[in-house]
Amino acid sequence: MAVFQINIEDLLHKRRVESNRIEFKRSWNPSDIYQTICAFANDFENLGGGYILIGVEQDENGIAIRPVKGINLAEIDKIQKDMVGFDAKIKPSYVTRTEIVEIDEKYIIAIWAPARNNRPYSVPENVVAKQVSVPKYYIRSKSSTIEAKGEILQELFDMANNTPFDERGNPNISIEDISPVLVFEHLKKIDSKLIQSFDASKLIDTLDAMELLTGPSEDRLIKNVAAMMFCPHPEKFFPVTQAEIVIFPEGSEENPDEMIEVPTITGPIPYIIKETLTYLKLNVIKQKIIKPKDRAESIKITNYPYQAFEEGVVNAFYHRNYQEREPVEITIEPDRVEILSHAGPDRSISDEAIRKARRLKTRKYRNRRLGDFLKELDLSEGRATGIPTIQKHLKSNGSTEAKIETDENRTFFQLTIPCHIQFCNNVANTNATKIINPQLKQILGQSFVQVQEYIYQSIIVQKTELEQILRQMFVQVWSKSKYPPNISRLSQAAIDLLCLLKSEPMGANTLNSAIAYGETYELKRKILLPLISLGYVEMEFPDKPRSAKQKYCLTTNGQSLFEE
C-alpha cells in the first residue's frame, strides 16, 4: 500500500487537481473502476493521470457527500488482493497505487492512477470474467470514461512516443543533486502524508512514492521534473533556466541606452516564479484610488493586475522548452510589460487562437508533471485557463487586452500585458508637464498649473539634468540590491520632495502624504537618506534623528537648485 503525495481532503474537495481527474465511487465495481484506471493511465489530455476514491458518494453536482459512505473494513483486504490480479490484466504492465484512508470515522480506498510513458494501455471490458476477452482502450472525455475508437484510438497510438520532457528519466541526475530539504518543504506545504515517513537518508524511496523515478528496478532514473522542482541549481541540467528582468524607464525605442538590469533570478522553478512575482509586485505594480463626487465608494485601479503577472510568469516556466538555452525574459516598458519564453505554442494551436489571445488548448504539453506540481502549490490552474484568466483580470481593471506574439516556426512565445491608460497618461506626460498628486497642490495652496510652474520653471538646473544626477545617484545606491526599486519613479519623487522643501521644512509624514510614494519608512530609506548623503537635504535636528518633531530642509546646495 502506498502513501499519496497529495492530501486526500484536497481530493474530496476537488482542490489542486482538476475535477475531471477525480472520480468518486460509491462501492467496489471492478470492471467500471479498471476502465477508469486505464483511461487515467492513457492520459489522453496530457493532464497527469487521476484519482479514484471508493466509498464516496456524490451529489448531482459531483460534490462529495459528507460524511462519506465508507467501505466495510472486512472487504478491504479482499479488494486489495483482487486488485493484484486485475492490475495484471492491464497491458502493457501497469501497477496502481492505493491507500486506505480513514475519513469521517470510516474507511475509503484511494487509488492513484498516474500517467505512464508506455501508453496506450488496454484492459478487458470485464476484468472479473474468467474467459479471455478482447482488450479495449479507454480515455477520459471531460468527467466520463469512454472507449477509444476510430480516429481517437489512432491519435492515442500516435501519442505513444510523445513522452513529455519533464517525465523523461535523466541519467545525469543523481540522488545527490536532489535536495531533501526542498522535497520536505514541498510535502509540508501540500500537507502530504508522506511527511510522516520522510527520511532524508532514504530520499530515493520518497522520490519513488512521488512517481519521480522511471525505468526498470535495476536501472532506475530520476525524472527531469525532480531536478526542476528540487535541485538547488537546475541550470546544471537545463542551461539558462532563469528569469531576466530589464527595465527601460523611457522606453526601449525612445531611449534604448538607459536601462536597468535586475540581478538574474535562478534556483528551483517554484523559487524563480515566486521571486519574480515578488519583484514585480513590489517594484512595478502601482495602485490609484479615485473618489467620484457622485458616490461614496472609491474606485481602485492598478497599472497592472497582479493576477495577470502571476499567470504570465507561471505559464512562461510551465510551457518553457527546457532543452533551449534561453531564459524567460521580462521587459518593463513605460506602457507595457512583455514576458518572453522559448519555445512557442504547439502547432496544434491555430494561428487564429493565438491572434485572438484566447484559450490556447493543446494535448501536447511539454511539461505535464511540472504543471501538476505547480497546481499543488496553487501557482497554476491548468486546463489552458492562463490566457483567459489574464484577459478577465485586465478587463476587470479597465485595461485593454493582452496580446500574444510568435513567429512562423513557433520558436518563441511573447505575452504583452498593457499598462492601464490612467498610468500610461502619466508616463506620457512626464517629460512635459508631470501630473502632480492632488495633495501636493493642497499643501502648497496653489492652482494645479501654478504648482507645475512652481516646481519645474523655478529650478535653475534643468529638470532633465537634475533627473540624470538623481538617477545616477540612485543607481549607485541600489546597484548591489537584489531587488532595486524603480529608479525612474525614485528620481521623479525626489524632485517633488525637493520642491516641497523649497516652500518650508516638513516632516516625513507630511512629505509622504503629498508625494504618496508608499510607506513613510520607504520614503526615508529610499529618497530622504540618499538626498541627505548627496548634500541636497539635511535634518533640522541632526543630533536627534528619531525625534517625532524631526523636519527636513534644503541645504545650501539644495537651495542653489532654485531661483531666488
Side-chain angles (χ1 to χ4, degrees), residues 441-558:
K441 177 186 71 174
Q442 184 177 357
I443 289 174
L444 293 179
Q446 302 179 47
S447 70
F448 181 68
V449 175
Q450 288 174 323
V451 170
Q452 290 178 320
E453 293 176 352
Y454 176 83
I455 288 182
Y456 294 119
Q457 294 183 11
S458 64
I459 296 177
I460 294 177
V461 178
Q462 291 295 321
K463 174 176 174 287
T464 53
E465 294 179 5
L466 180 59
E467 278 189 328
Q468 290 176 1
I469 294 172
L470 294 173
R471 283 179 190 275
Q472 291 173 3
M473 182 262 293
F474 287 127
V475 167
Q476 185 175 3
V477 169
W478 297 101
S479 61
K480 295 183 180 179
S481 174
K482 188 174 182 180
Y483 300 114
N486 187 315
I487 302 301
S488 178
R489 184 184 175 202
L490 273 179
S491 60
Q492 295 291 342
I495 292 178
D496 288 349
L497 186 144
L498 289 170
C499 294
L500 283 169
L501 294 181
K502 175 66 172 69
S503 173
E504 61 179 303
M506 295 184 183
N509 288 332
T510 303
L511 289 168
N512 195 48
S513 66
I515 298 175
Y517 182 80
E519 298 293 338
T520 301
Y521 77 90
E522 286 186 311
L523 180 84
K524 291 181 179 180
R525 184 171 67 93
K526 295 182 179 180
I527 301 177
L528 274 172
L529 291 180
L531 285 175
I532 290 173
S533 65
L534 197 65
Y536 289 150
V537 175
E538 62 184 358
M539 298 180 185
E540 280 199 335
F541 312 110
D543 56 331
K544 299 178 181 179
R546 297 188 178 181
S547 171
K549 297 181 180 180
Q550 185 65 261
K551 290 187 177 182
Y552 300 86
C553 56
L554 295 180
T555 63
T556 303
N557 287 338

Side-chain angles (χ1 to χ4, degrees), residues 30 59 111 155 191 268 366 372 376 413 451 551 563:
D59 60 21
I111 300 175
E155 187 173 350
D191 196 21
R366 295 187 183 92
D372 275 351
E376 289 174 356
F413 184 98
V451 170
K551 290 187 177 182
E563 293 178 348

Side-chain angles (χ1 to χ4, degrees), residues 237-473:
F237 309 103
F238 323 113
V240 203
T241 296
Q242 59 196 42
E244 297 182 358
I245 303 175
V246 180
I247 305 169
F248 291 94
E250 297 181 8
S252 57
E253 295 181 3
E254 292 77 6
N255 190 356
D257 295 329
E258 183 178 357
M259 66 177 180
I260 302 168
E261 294 183 353
V262 177
T264 301
I265 301 174
T266 60
I269 302 305
Y271 176 84
I272 297 178
I273 291 173
K274 290 179 181 178
E275 290 296 296
T276 302
L277 291 173
T278 298
Y279 178 87
L280 295 174
K281 184 176 183 179
L282 296 179
N283 297 281
V284 178
I285 295 178
K286 305 175 189 176
Q287 187 179 72
K288 179 180 290 187
I289 300 177
I290 302 173
K291 295 184 178 180
K293 295 180 179 180
D294 57 344
R295 60 177 178 174
E297 298 85 1
S298 299
I299 300 174
K300 294 182 180 180
I301 58 172
T302 59
N303 53 349
Y304 301 99
Y306 174 78
Q307 296 85 349
F309 283 159
E310 184 177 40
E311 292 291 338
V313 172
V314 170
N315 282 351
F317 283 95
Y318 180 4
H319 301 295
R320 178 180 183 266
N321 184 347
Y322 286 87
Q323 294 172 286
E324 292 273 0
R325 301 177 68 92
E326 296 289 346
V328 171
E329 300 176 47
I330 300 176
T331 305
I332 301 172
E333 303 266 2
D335 62 342
R336 66 189 182 277
V337 171
E338 297 172 346
I339 303 175
L340 174 67
S341 61
H342 302 265
D346 188 80
R347 291 196 175 277
S348 60
I349 300 173
S350 68
D351 292 335
E352 182 180 5
I354 295 172
R355 179 176 55 80
K356 290 183 177 180
R358 299 297 182 186
R359 190 174 181 218
L360 308 183
K361 185 177 180 180
T362 177
R363 291 200 181 102
K364 298 179 181 179
Y365 286 92
R366 295 187 183 92
N367 307 299
R368 173 178 62 192
R369 191 67 189 285
L370 177 61
D372 275 351
F373 279 111
L374 296 180
K375 291 168 200 168
E376 289 174 356
L377 295 173
D378 294 327
L379 290 174
S380 174
E381 293 294 333
R383 300 298 296 171
T385 58
I387 300 301
T389 299
I390 291 171
Q391 304 292 31
K392 180 184 75 173
H393 286 288
L394 286 171
K395 182 178 180 180
S396 299
N397 190 55
S399 305
T400 55
E401 289 191 336
K403 295 181 180 179
I404 296 173
E405 293 181 49
T406 187
D407 59 357
E408 185 178 351
N409 296 322
R410 305 282 177 95
T411 62
F412 72 88
F413 184 98
Q414 179 169 291
L415 174 70
T416 300
I417 303 175
C419 180
H420 192 284
I421 188 68
Q422 288 274 0
F423 294 85
C424 288
N425 284 343
N426 286 1
V427 171
N429 293 331
T430 294
N431 294 329
T433 56
K434 182 171 182 268
I435 302 299
I436 305 301
N437 189 295
Q439 291 175 316
L440 177 59
K441 177 186 71 174
Q442 184 177 357
I443 289 174
L444 293 179
Q446 302 179 47
S447 70
F448 181 68
V449 175
Q450 288 174 323
V451 170
Q452 290 178 320
E453 293 176 352
Y454 176 83
I455 288 182
Y456 294 119
Q457 294 183 11
S458 64
I459 296 177
I460 294 177
V461 178
Q462 291 295 321
K463 174 176 174 287
T464 53
E465 294 179 5
L466 180 59
E467 278 189 328
Q468 290 176 1
I469 294 172
L470 294 173
R471 283 179 190 275
Q472 291 173 3
M473 182 262 293

